[in-house]
Amino acid sequence: MIPNHPFSADEHSANASEAPPDKPEEACGVFGIYAPEEDVAKLTYFGLYALQHRGQESAGIATFDGKQVHLHKEMGLVSQVFNESILQHLVGQLAVGHTRYSTTGSSRVVNAQPAVVATRLGSLALAHNGNIVNTAELREELLRRDCNLITTTDSEMIAHAIALEINEGKDWLEGAIRAFHKCLGAFSLAIATPEGIMGARDPNGIRPLVIGTFGSNPVRYVLASETCGLDIIGAEYLRDVEPGELVWITEEGLASFHWTQKPQRKLCIFEMIYFARPDSIMEGESLYTYRLRLGRRLGEEAPVEADIVIGVPDSGIPAAIGFSQESGIPYAEGLIKNRYVGRTFIQPTQKMREAGIRMKLNPLKDVLAGKRVVIVDDSIVRGTTSRKLVKALRDAGATEVHMRISSPPVTHPCFYGIDTDSQDQLIAATKSVEEIAKQIDVDSLAYLSWEGMLKATGEDPNSFCSACFTGDYPIPVPEMVKRSKLMLEKVAVS
């Protein structure tokens, strides 16, 4: 999903004044459904609506009515891109949808998904979550074989790679599998064709993808990045698409193919800490429950004397409650979130900045005044937001501010579908915990240990990718790609 080419000067100028978010940003959410008797466009709309947290830049839906494909995609939130009239024109028996986050300079409608490519068997529409790391090599091969690439996304390259195999005589399944073997990196895919829908994950299963059932006679199937995308339409969770698996959903039902011989699960641990919705199910339980355990573990590892515990809405709240439960310090709401604020390109004036404009979070002075406060968040990336939050708490009357983070320090960039800065922009890569505490002006700062984070999963710790904390990348990253972000030496996890 991450663009592969430098953006032009005009693209940069449109976004240059906007400060980057102080959180890792997810690439996208995907959804697919095969249900000939249903309004697949509207069901896909609601599925994307539930996955909106995974990307707010653009949204799109492609439906198939026989061999005819209907496509609508635009910049904006799902509710802004679609209305009743548009959905009525997206007719068919099956659909795939996509909601996207993009890096600066790539927020253009041409890069919105699904990516639609023509083949000898009809069109295919592909929705992708993840990031391919061998894009330069793959792009060179596609251009050598006269592919007309019109976007700057690796997602379009995957679609063209499949189309090339189809056009050389292979069927949908064989063509897709041959193409997957050429793609190195992270990909969870929902692919619509005139015959059915494919769902696939890379051999490490770095990005999530689940299967749900819809209806009973006959049973129909749904694909979604998270189980919350199933819940909203009343679909029942069946199971995850396994790492290295391709599922083929047609009128005959669901068939499974393991397209790689040595899959090794490496689910992104940040999906569990932060990205996925707390009501989504992973490893047989809600992520809310896992995040509670992170907070309890944090309370064990980094106790502090204080009067109240507060969480940074929304992602820090479960861990804050867990910290409160473990420590016995009362939990309180100290920050109120404006949930109607999305990404804005209207910049506050310097006077507004100096006055401490608070578009997203506002402190409750009567809760905080005179209190020793523990504030719990899920991560610190650049430190800019943390510093502003601490200042706001002190301005509201907090006598002490202690920050606790329910993950280890983020020291390395991600190459598998998370938009993180180059390593020199990650505060924990260049500063010690004590130096970070001084920079963000807290009385104390502590992170959850790497071991504690993984132990809280209750799963094999080797089944997760935690490269952003350790620098141990499970999929080899080409030096050319690595040099663009990896500036510093590997650091040890403490």
Side-chain angles (χ1 to χ4, degrees):
M1 276 302 304
I2 305 300
N4 305 296
H5 304 289
F7 45 83
S8 64
D10 60 319
E11 288 168 346
H12 181 266
S13 63
N15 297 324
S17 62
E18 185 177 10
D22 195 17
K23 290 285 185 184
E25 293 292 331
E26 180 55 85
C28 59
V30 302
F31 187 89
I33 184 168
Y34 183 95
E37 303 83 7
E38 304 290 341
D39 187 342
V40 292
K42 189 166 286 189
L43 290 169
T44 303
Y45 168 86
F46 285 112
L48 295 180
Y49 194 87
L51 298 171
Q52 184 73 84
H53 60 286
R54 298 185 70 88
Q56 297 89 45
E57 295 289 344
S58 63
I61 296 174
T63 63
F64 277 76
D65 184 17
K67 283 202 171 185
Q68 186 174 6
V69 60
H70 304 275
L71 173 68
H72 183 81
K73 56 184 180 180
E74 285 290 347
M75 306 305 298
L77 302 175
V78 175
S79 59
Q80 297 168 327
V81 171
F82 297 99
N83 57 38
E84 289 280 359
S85 176
I86 291 169
L87 292 172
Q88 286 175 4
H89 288 89
L90 296 174
V91 297
Q93 297 80 42
L94 55 91
V96 293
H98 190 269
T99 183
R100 182 172 190 256
Y101 172 83
S102 60
T103 55
T104 301
S106 63
S107 182
R108 299 181 297 157
V109 70
V110 70
N111 287 337
Q113 293 188 40
V116 176
V117 175
T119 80
R120 68 177 181 86
L121 298 178
S123 295
L124 69 87
L126 178 144
H128 171 211
N129 179 22
N131 196 48
I132 305 303
V133 296
N134 64 329
T135 48
E137 176 185 339
L138 183 58
R139 183 178 179 84
E140 183 179 334
E141 178 184 347
L142 295 173
L143 292 175
R144 188 172 64 248
R145 297 172 70 178
D146 297 325
C147 286
N148 180 27
L149 299 175
I150 61 173
T151 79
T152 58
T153 68
D154 51 356
S155 311
E156 184 196 24
M157 294 186 203
I158 301 173
H160 274 288
I162 297 171
L164 281 175
E165 300 296 335
I166 299 296
N167 291 339
E168 289 184 350
K170 300 175 184 66
D171 62 19
W172 289 113
L173 292 175
E174 187 181 1
I177 290 171
R178 286 290 294 271
F180 296 161
H181 280 290
K182 297 179 179 180
C183 299
L184 182 66
F187 53 91
S188 286
L189 304 168
I191 306 169
T193 76
E195 294 182 24
I197 289 179
M198 285 181 274
R201 291 174 79 190
D202 65 79
N204 296 110
I206 290 178
R207 298 285 151 226
L209 189 65
V210 300
I211 310 168
T213 56
F214 187 82
S216 58
N217 189 23
V219 174
R220 300 306 190 188
Y221 293 93
V222 184
L223 299 170
S225 291
E226 299 176 33
T227 61
C228 64
L230 307 177
D231 297 338
I232 195 171
I233 64 167
E236 294 290 328
Y237 169 72
L238 179 64
R239 64 176 180 87
D240 288 9
V241 176
E242 296 297 323
E245 182 185 17
L246 182 156
V247 294
W248 180 227
I249 302 167
T250 65
E251 185 63 31
E252 304 300 318
L254 183 146
S256 169
F257 304 88
H258 292 274
W259 60 270
T260 185
Q261 292 184 346
K262 295 182 179 180
Q264 185 179 14
R265 181 183 182 274
K266 291 286 184 180
L267 177 69
C268 171
I269 192 67
F270 245 120
E271 291 282 357
M272 300 186 66
I273 295 169
Y274 168 68
F275 288 136
R277 260 177 41 172
D279 54 329
S280 285
I281 304 295
M282 288 188 183
E283 311 305 326
E285 66 179 2
S286 73
L287 292 179
Y288 180 87
T289 302
Y290 171 65
R291 291 166 190 174
L292 277 177
R293 284 204 301 277
L294 291 177
R296 293 195 193 104
R297 182 85 184 193
L298 187 58
E300 292 176 10
E301 293 184 2
V304 63
E305 290 188 9
D307 300 309
I308 59 172
V309 177
I310 67 172
V312 178
D314 287 312
S315 56
I317 288 177
I321 294 173
F323 190 98
S324 170
Q325 292 172 345
E326 176 62 32
S327 66
I329 303 170
Y331 171 80
E333 280 196 70
L335 294 165
I336 300 301
K337 182 177 182 180
N338 179 0
R339 289 175 172 81
Y340 298 95
V341 174
R343 192 178 187 192
T344 177
F345 292 89
I346 306 300
Q347 297 302 305
T349 64
Q350 184 59 32
K351 186 175 181 180
M352 288 177 178
R353 290 192 187 97
E354 290 170 356
I357 182 171
R358 299 182 188 122
M359 292 182 66
K360 293 186 178 181
L361 295 172
N362 204 33
L364 288 168
K365 293 182 179 181
D366 54 344
V367 172
L368 299 165
K371 299 292 197 306
R372 298 171 298 171
V373 178
V374 179
I375 180 170
V376 180
D377 204 356
D378 54 72
S379 61
I380 300 177
V381 177
R382 300 170 189 88
T384 52
T385 298
S386 298
R387 182 176 176 83
K388 291 176 183 176
L389 277 176
V390 173
K391 183 179 186 304
L393 297 179
R394 294 195 187 281
D395 289 346
T399 58
E400 295 178 14
V401 179
H402 303 272
M403 183 166 280
R404 297 294 181 264
I405 305 299
S406 62
S407 66
V410 177
T411 55
H412 287 72
C414 177
F415 300 96
Y416 307 138
I418 302 172
D419 175 27
T420 53
D421 275 346
S422 58
Q423 194 177 20
D424 61 341
Q425 296 298 310
L426 303 174
I427 191 170
T430 59
K431 290 180 169 59
S432 67
V433 173
E434 292 76 18
E435 289 171 331
I436 297 170
K438 184 176 181 180
Q439 179 162 323
I440 65 177
D441 192 29
V442 289
D443 294 280
S444 72
L445 169 66
Y447 291 83
L448 182 64
S449 68
W450 180 72
E451 294 85 359
M453 171 191 70
L454 292 172
K455 188 174 181 180
T457 66
E459 300 289 325
D460 179 0
N462 294 315
S463 65
F464 295 95
C465 176
S466 58
C468 53
F469 306 121
T470 65
D472 292 324
Y473 296 98
I475 301 171
V477 180
E479 283 303 315
M480 182 181 69
V481 177
K482 195 178 280 191
R483 282 197 300 270
S484 68
K485 283 188 175 183
L486 203 55
M487 309 289 184
L488 309 171
E489 296 294 324
K490 184 187 295 187
V491 298
V493 176
S494 59

